[in-house]
Amino acid sequence: MYDLKSLYEAGSVQDAVRLRLEHPEAQILAGGTDVLVQMREGKRAGKELISIYGINEMRGVSLDGDENIRIGSLTSFSHITKDPIIQKYINVLGEAVDMVGGPQIRNAGTIGGNTCNGVTSADSASTLFAWDAVVELTGKDGVRRLPIQAFYLAAGKTDVRPDEIQTAILIPKASYENCFGHYIKYAMRSAMDIATTGCSVNVVLSPDKKAIARARIAYGVAGPIPMRAPSAEKAAGGKPLTADTAEAFAQAVLSDIQPRDSWRASKAFREHIAVELAKRCLTEAVKRAGGEWA
Amino acid sequence: MSKSVGRSMARVDALDKAAGRAKYTDDLCDKAALATRIVHSTIAHGLVASVDCAQAEQVPGVVRIFTCFDVPDRPFPTAGHPWSTDPHHQDVADRLLLNRHVRYYGDEVAVVVAENEVAAAQAARLVKVAYNEYPFVLDVQKAMEPGAPQIHENYPGNILAHTQIRNGDYEAACKEPGLMKVEGWYDTPTVQHCHIENHVCTAQMEGGRITVTSSTQIPHIVRRVCGQALGIPWGKVRIVKPYIGGGFGNKQDALYEPLCAWLTTQLGGRLVKIDCSREETFVSNRVRHAIRTHIISWVRPDGSFAARKIECFSNQGGYASHGHGIVAKGMGAFPQIYPCPNVEGDAYTVFTNRPSAGAMRGYGIPQAMWAGESHIDDVAKALGREPGEYRRQIAMPQGFVDGFSKNENYYDSFREVMDKGMAAIGYGRKLHEYQNQTGPVRRGVGMALFWYNTAVWPISLESSSCRMVLNQDGSVQVQTGETEIGQGCDTAFAQMAADAIGIPFADVHIVSAQDTDVTPFGTGAYASRQTYVGGFALRQTGGILKDKILTCAAELTRQMKENLDLVDGKIVRVTDGRELMGLDELATETLYSLAHSQHITAESTYQIKNNAYSFGCTFAEVEVDIPMCQVKLLNIVNVHDCGKLINPALAEAQVHGGMSMGIGYGLSEQLLFDEKTGKPLNNNLLDYKLSTFMDHPHLQAEFVENAEPTSPYGTKALGEPPACSPAPAIRNAVLQATGVAINNAPMTPHVLFARFKEEGLL
């Protein structure tokens, strides 16, 4: 039995916007895999809910006119993993969200909910950061788009305005073209866990595949929100495929990330793992791009 | 005699459980039941100064709020031990229904009763408790220091109990020239059972008596405890135990049944339910004792022990529960598994401000094997000996008899299980292959033995009762006091009953639910005793029933009784093997006979004054990723000599479950506490790292079937033993892979990170 005050079900995006304005205190409910858990814990007990789960137009993966990838915010993790567009252009995202919770959670949980929660450990977030994803929000005045880095404001806080719902996540063509990535979720067990640290790296190689043309790296749980590691990206850009490059890339991470001590893991441990993950993710991403390490 | 025993019969409850027809406590609860929510202490130690319920009482739907100031001041014991009529052997009575003196973060202070769960939860959040805080202590050895906070009166140094072993002359023996000293400290964590069904119970009154329906392992014991807690005659309490979703020892305690029974007496006998959340189950039920162990071995160059010393410090938490029995059992194994003439042992059970520790699968032996088997590998390493070959030299020999229990090692079980385990995992080849590795990813193979005994004799009473009732169609209802808690004993009992009576397996109807008004007395499911202990009563009662049937058969067939037998539900003349009549015909005729009507039943109690050793081992193969601080378990094999298998498929399943528990114990599970407040940090299934099946390799179970001579079916313990040796086997495999000895379980990445840094691997 859940302690909820009332439940409003939105039939369309416009309907959801109207309900948001009518019930400013209400919590948006998508797959429910976080909201209902928090409600049970008493954190959101007694709240009003606006369910957007029935808005089918917000489900599915497609390519738009400019060949940007569009992922509807209600698309479930298991859908993303199996989607042919994802598998062809950004397979690492499908792999990352396949590490969320267990099979039931992945069927119910949505990528929109995963990002709107604003938590640093979200398995989709580091890959979306690393691929310069764009967040689409729809409100009373229409559609607003912003880079995912701007969408995350602080731990647990994202830039969703009182009249808005998140309607899609976009991966621009310039981001995914010729790009190959790898994600490692470092957790205390192999399923049903949240990341102690998650690292997502992607590369575009030079035409001869002898050097890294562009490297991008992002972390979850290396700070209060997901983050890129620009020093590392700079250290690898244009560099040859050597052990020195990988080592320099990995060590540079330490000047960007800010993990903290908590009962879940020490700062020293998280830093050690972050460096190791950077190295391993880069190594694998380059291999996927067809590069051969010297 | 055997037609059913020894075969992999399908579980008698399989279809009902798979189809969702099996009824559990909450399924049986009427929707009109009052809901409750317990208010738990938010400090680790102190006195409740006041409880302000004014705001909470305003919540619509709240019926009553009871606080620690409302309950009777009548301390009672909770441990699920058979009662002792000798006051010196009775469990410590240190519990009240709700507590003014709170002794751990999560202790029970008040309870809200409401018309529904939501109202109860809302009101519980509004109950304001004021405390006079006391200092608290979480560490077992700090709790023994002078000046440590005193958690209970009359237990100086917080020591609940201290027992000793003094065999031979340790002090003199360790002065023998040429000895090598090997010393280690080994630590095990606080873990929880994590049975799938949280504890739940309901209570209501009828006819001036209280009926409690509960998810318990021990209905007859819970009846006694409820009687003691409420100060009413025990016969005024009736306990019903339906199907339960596991217990692993947590439900071998009276948990909330006494409080629930008391609540219904305060509410005009209305039906009231206490339903624990997972968060409460972790903290406010029972946990496994964290035990710290110090071992010193004085070893001769040939590997034999001149003298050994062991000290064990067992973290009891806030209340006595099962108390000293756990560490006493663990220390008791020490001089037996590797016999040594000169042993000095001291075991302490110490109150701390952690959750109360009680029974949990293995009852002190997983802790003892973590310490003892890790230490044996440390000794082997110091000697430059191969751990398997070294254990062959020193492990308990065939013919060993324990002076106290009189348990006898009838076979060379340890060497036989080692042979089988080594062959199964390819021990010799892998051991050789994995020597002298360098590089970041290394493999290793390790092993551990375990010592176990089956039941609780001679420490406690062992008795089992059984009732059998013959139906007109020749089928038989069977009831025992031993309880089905998921382990499959109903199926094993049906197999043994079928053979004892001489009827087909399908004609045995096990009455699974226990009801203390009608179920014959038995102390329930605990230790690893149900199949062993139940077997005696089933064999005896089956014999009585069969004798009555053959008496009737002799009358009906006009044959000499001694010439008759009951075989597969048929009356057979043994002299020529002719089937004279079916049991269905006999039963119908006997019941409706106008000349001599008889309802054929049998009931008897058997008191068991034996116990039985049950030994085995684990072999584990790991891959250690040093930079990632991760251990991947590649292969694991358990080998058990648990006597003859009653049901091989169920036996294998039992071993799989225990291995899973052992893997979590070694690698990931531990309940953590905030050092500053004593608050549990991870009392949920996300943050408490119970291993998932993605963390398991294929779990391989092997058996050596040496028939146990004291058992009518040749069987002995298998319930707890599978959980006893996986953790140290994994630890020893990590030692072989990396050369790094990890002495603190669980071997989490955090522990490995610290140890690999210390040893210069990172």
Side-chain angles (χ1 to χ4, degrees):
Chain A
M1 197 185 274
Y2 286 97
D3 184 2
L4 59 90
K5 190 173 168 192
S6 45
L7 173 70
Y8 306 97
E9 288 190 291
S12 65
V13 172
Q14 290 69 31
D15 200 21
V17 169
R18 176 183 60 81
L19 286 167
R20 287 276 281 153
L21 289 166
E22 284 173 16
H23 307 281
E25 297 296 316
Q27 165 70 44
I28 301 172
L29 180 73
T33 57
D34 282 308
V35 170
L36 293 180
V37 171
Q38 289 163 359
M39 201 162 235
R40 177 188 162 279
E41 286 169 351
K43 281 180 201 158
R44 285 174 164 158
K47 282 241 178 188
E48 296 176 301
L49 298 176
I50 296 171
S51 173
I52 57 169
Y53 199 63
I55 308 176
N56 275 328
E57 62 195 273
M58 284 169 59
R59 247 180 211 104
V61 180
S62 55
L63 288 178
D64 69 14
D66 299 324
E67 294 187 19
N68 301 316
I69 300 169
R70 179 188 172 86
I71 307 168
S73 291
L74 284 178
T75 312
S76 70
F77 298 122
S78 53
H79 181 134
I80 289 169
T81 301
K82 291 180 192 126
D83 190 274
I85 293 172
I86 298 290
Q87 288 179 351
K88 186 170 176 191
Y89 298 113
I90 179 170
N91 193 33
V92 60
L93 180 63
E95 292 173 344
V97 299
D98 200 37
M99 297 176 198
V100 175
Q104 296 87 345
I105 295 291
R106 295 196 290 269
N107 285 338
T110 65
I111 194 161
N114 204 221
T115 47
C116 285
N117 262 333
V119 298
T120 185
S121 56
D123 281 305
S124 67
S126 41
T127 296
L128 294 175
F129 268 65
W131 291 68
D132 292 311
V134 172
V135 176
E136 179 192 282
L137 298 130
T138 304
K140 63 180 179 351
D141 301 324
V143 166
R144 181 166 72 99
R145 287 182 177 169
L146 72 167
I148 193 158
Q149 299 202 49
F151 179 68
Y152 278 73
L153 300 175
K157 196 165 172 1
T158 48
D159 185 10
V160 184
R161 294 177 186 163
D163 61 315
E164 287 179 338
I165 60 168
Q166 191 206 81
T167 41
I169 290 175
L170 310 165
I171 312 291
K173 185 178 184 190
S175 173
Y176 70 76
E177 214 172 15
N178 300 318
C179 185
F180 296 85
H182 187 61
Y183 173 70
I184 299 178
K185 173 178 183 166
Y186 190 90
M188 293 298 138
R189 59 187 171 196
S190 306
M192 308 293 287
D193 211 347
I194 52 170
T196 307
T197 298
C199 178
S200 190
V201 172
N202 61 78
V203 295
V204 175
L205 297 184
S206 60
D208 64 357
K209 302 202 180 209
K210 300 282 187 204
I212 296 168
R214 180 186 77 189
R216 294 179 294 184
I217 175 169
Y219 284 96
V221 210
I225 55 174
M227 60 167 64
R228 290 278 283 267
S231 310
E233 294 177 4
K234 215 169 144 195
K239 297 291 187 331
L241 301 181
T242 63
D244 283 350
T245 299
E247 191 60 35
F249 172 79
Q251 292 298 334
V253 156
L254 291 174
S255 46
D256 295 321
I257 62 172
Q258 310 128 24
R260 63 186 187 104
D261 274 314
S262 80
W263 64 265
R264 293 176 201 273
S266 68
K267 181 177 192 302
F269 176 72
R270 286 191 211 267
E271 285 182 341
H272 168 80
I273 294 298
V275 169
E276 190 62 29
L277 294 184
K279 203 183 311 178
R280 292 188 185 203
C281 284
L282 180 72
T283 304
E284 182 60 25
V286 165
K287 282 186 194 163
R288 287 181 171 197
E292 278 179 40
W293 288 93
Chain B
M1 163 179 115
S2 177
K3 288 188 66 92
S4 296
V5 166
R7 295 167 59 195
S8 291
M9 300 302 200
R11 288 182 68 117
V12 294
D13 50 7
L15 292 176
D16 283 340
K17 285 184 172 173
R21 292 188 297 259
K23 297 288 186 220
Y24 295 76
T25 298
D26 197 38
D27 298 320
L28 295 169
C29 183
D30 192 280
K31 292 282 175 283
L34 292 168
T36 59
R37 185 63 70 102
I38 291 169
V39 178
H40 297 282
S41 72
T42 53
I43 62 167
H45 193 203
L47 270 192
V48 176
S50 64
V51 184
D52 176 1
C53 301
Q55 228 185 320
E57 281 166 347
Q58 300 306 310
V59 173
V62 169
V63 175
R64 283 281 295 276
I65 300 173
F66 300 93
T67 76
C68 53
F69 298 99
D70 300 324
V71 298
D73 186 18
R74 186 186 302 108
F76 58 93
T78 64
H81 292 141
W83 186 237
S84 173
T85 52
D86 173 1
H88 299 292
H89 285 105
Q90 290 170 358
D91 290 305
V92 176
D94 64 352
R95 282 270 182 173
L96 296 175
L97 296 169
L98 299 166
N99 296 299
R100 283 189 64 193
H101 184 172
V102 293
R103 296 178 170 95
Y104 68 97
Y105 196 111
D107 207 340
E108 292 90 12
V109 173
V111 58
V112 176
V113 182
E115 295 291 347
N116 61 67
E117 289 170 34
V118 168
Q122 288 173 339
R125 285 197 292 271
L126 295 171
V127 172
K128 295 190 184 75
V129 184
Y131 300 95
N132 295 325
E133 280 195 58
Y134 294 162
F136 69 91
V137 61
L138 301 174
D139 182 83
V140 64
Q141 285 180 287
K142 284 187 181 148
M144 296 169 75
E145 286 172 3
Q150 291 301 293
I151 297 167
H152 287 271
E153 289 173 16
N154 308 323
Y155 293 100
N158 291 312
I159 297 169
L160 170 62
H162 168 210
T163 53
Q164 298 185 322
I165 295 173
R166 293 291 182 270
N167 295 346
D169 187 342
Y170 172 84
E171 288 302 333
C174 64
K175 292 188 177 67
E176 182 182 314
L179 297 181
M180 181 174 61
K181 181 185 182 185
V182 182
E183 180 172 9
W185 283 86
Y186 308 90
D187 236 338
T188 61
T190 296
V191 295
Q192 219 272 334
H193 315 65
C194 298
H195 38 71
I196 202 160
E197 182 204 27
N198 291 322
H199 175 60
V200 53
C201 58
T202 65
Q204 64 187 323
M205 294 187 74
E206 211 175 73
R209 299 173 75 219
I210 304 166
T211 299
V212 179
T213 304
S214 178
S215 176
T216 181
Q217 301 173 217
I218 48 166
H220 277 99
I221 290 176
V222 167
R223 176 167 73 156
R224 181 259 298 171
V225 177
C226 286
Q228 291 172 328
L230 272 61
I232 59 175
W234 302 354
K236 291 276 188 192
V237 182
R238 171 183 167 213
I239 308 290
V240 176
K241 178 248 145 207
Y243 281 124
I244 87 170
F248 302 120
N250 187 36
K251 296 170 185 170
Q252 192 203 338
D253 241 272
L255 295 169
Y256 289 112
E257 297 95 339
L259 178 60
C260 202
W262 182 76
L263 286 176
T264 193
T265 67
Q266 304 300 302
L267 296 161
R270 265 193 81 175
L271 178 64
V272 56
K273 174 165 81 175
I274 298 180
D275 189 357
C276 290
S277 66
R278 180 62 65 183
E279 289 83 347
E280 290 173 300
T281 301
F282 267 109
V283 177
S284 304
N285 283 194
R286 301 292 178 269
V287 295
R288 189 190 287 287
H289 290 78
I291 299 179
R292 184 173 300 150
T293 304
H294 179 212
I295 301 176
I296 300 172
S297 294
W298 297 91
V299 192
R300 298 189 184 93
D302 70 356
S304 62
F305 291 129
R308 303 188 82 196
K309 185 186 181 80
I310 183 167
E311 292 176 289
C312 311
F313 303 92
S314 181
N315 194 321
Q316 179 54 53
Y319 293 94
S321 179
H322 282 246
H324 194 60
I326 282 86
V327 71
K329 179 164 184 171
M331 185 170 75
F334 185 76
Q336 296 183 46
I337 182 167
Y338 302 106
C340 168
N342 303 293
V343 174
E344 190 173 301
D346 288 272
Y348 302 87
T349 296
V350 184
F351 287 116
T352 69
N353 298 108
R354 287 202 200 188
S356 303
M360 182 169 170
R361 193 183 201 171
Y363 214 78
I365 301 303
Q367 296 95 319
M369 294 304 112
W370 171 263
E373 289 302 287
S374 296
H375 183 79
I376 292 297
D377 259 51
D378 293 350
V379 173
K381 193 174 182 219
L383 286 165
R385 298 275 296 272
E386 185 272 288
E389 169 267 328
Y390 180 50
R391 282 182 173 82
R392 279 181 200 280
Q393 177 193 331
I394 60 173
M396 180 196 286
Q398 182 172 5
F400 179 95
V401 179
D402 178 51
F404 172 67
S405 66
K406 309 293 183 234
N407 282 355
E408 181 171 341
N409 189 22
Y410 295 103
Y411 305 90
D412 195 6
S413 296
F414 280 122
R415 287 156 196 83
E416 290 178 33
V417 295
M418 276 194 268
D419 285 344
K420 202 154 191 175
M422 284 177 177
I425 206 161
Y427 179 76
R429 177 176 56 78
K430 285 175 179 166
L431 195 72
H432 181 73
E433 196 180 314
Y434 298 155
Q435 271 167 4
N436 307 318
Q437 294 166 92
T438 52
V441 180
R442 301 180 198 173
R443 290 185 171 192
V445 64
M447 65 172 300
L449 305 181
F450 72 83
W451 170 103
Y452 217 77
N453 60 8
T454 299
V456 299
W457 182 262
I459 294 167
S460 272
L461 168 74
E462 281 297 6
S463 98
S464 177
S465 304
C466 176
R467 180 184 301 132
M468 295 181 177
V469 176
L470 180 66
N471 299 316
Q472 292 93 321
D473 62 354
S475 65
V476 175
Q477 273 82 256
V478 175
Q479 288 178 290
T480 76
E482 280 66 54
T483 50
E484 170 65 59
I485 61 167
Q487 83 281 48
C489 72
D490 277 356
T491 307
F493 290 167
Q495 291 178 260
M496 294 192 287
D499 288 359
I501 304 164
I503 59 175
F505 174 72
D507 284 351
V508 178
H509 308 308
I510 286 282
V511 181
S512 186
Q514 315 270 320
D515 177 340
T516 55
D517 272 9
V518 294
T519 306
F521 181 84
T523 46
Y526 54 88
S528 295
R529 56 190 278 288
Q530 285 67 248
T531 306
Y532 181 73
V533 166
F536 292 89
L538 287 158
R539 181 81 179 83
Q540 177 175 279
T541 311
I544 294 168
L545 188 78
K546 181 173 179 169
D547 186 70
K548 289 186 178 183
I549 290 167
L550 293 181
T551 300
C552 294
E555 188 181 325
L556 291 170
T557 63
R558 300 183 188 85
Q559 299 294 308
M560 187 193 190
K561 184 179 166 191
E562 285 67 22
N563 278 353
L564 299 177
D565 197 4
L566 177 60
V567 179
D568 205 23
K570 307 273 192 314
I571 304 298
V572 174
R573 186 166 63 199
V574 295
T575 47
D576 61 354
R578 179 179 292 185
E579 290 179 7
L580 303 181
M581 69 190 303
L583 182 56
D584 49 352
E585 189 187 346
L586 178 146
T588 307
E589 180 58 35
T590 304
L591 194 62
Y592 298 111
S593 167
L594 294 176
H596 186 189
S597 170
Q598 204 187 150
H599 179 210
I600 300 179
T601 67
E603 181 160 352
S604 75
T605 299
Y606 189 89
Q607 186 182 359
I608 300 97
K609 295 186 179 176
N610 287 304
N611 205 331
Y613 277 142
S614 184
F615 299 150
C617 62
T618 301
F619 284 83
E621 182 187 4
V622 300
E623 183 173 276
V624 185
D625 187 330
I626 294 168
M628 292 282 262
C629 307
Q630 280 175 327
V631 175
K632 184 177 180 193
L633 189 56
L634 300 176
N635 281 294
I636 188 161
V637 182
N638 261 35
V639 190
H640 293 265
D641 179 0
C642 58
K644 288 286 178 191
L645 302 181
I646 305 301
N647 184 317
L650 277 178
E652 197 180 353
Q654 184 68 272
V655 175
H656 291 166
M659 290 170 85
S660 172
M661 203 173 246
I663 291 167
Y665 197 52
L667 291 173
S668 60
E669 290 181 45
Q670 95 194 101
L671 200 54
L672 298 166
F673 301 90
D674 185 332
E675 293 293 326
K676 293 193 185 77
T677 62
K679 181 183 180 179
L681 293 168
N682 61 335
N683 53 322
N684 61 71
L685 288 171
L686 175 60
D687 292 316
Y688 178 92
K689 307 298 182 185
L690 193 69
S691 56
T692 71
F693 83 136
M694 297 285 283
D695 301 294
H696 294 165
H698 172 68
L699 303 173
Q700 189 175 348
E702 298 283 343
F703 298 95
V704 172
E705 290 192 62
N706 288 321
E708 167 59 32
T710 61
S711 157
Y713 296 94
T715 186
K716 52 186 181 175
L718 189 63
E720 299 162 286
C724 294
S725 51
I730 297 166
R731 180 265 188 195
N732 291 337
V734 173
L735 174 63
Q736 203 232 339
T738 63
V740 178
I742 313 284
N743 290 359
N744 294 353
M747 298 176 285
T748 63
H750 312 293
V751 171
L752 297 180
F753 176 63
R755 287 290 291 130
F756 289 165
K757 282 215 143 192
E758 272 172 31
E759 300 285 339
L761 294 184
L762 289 177

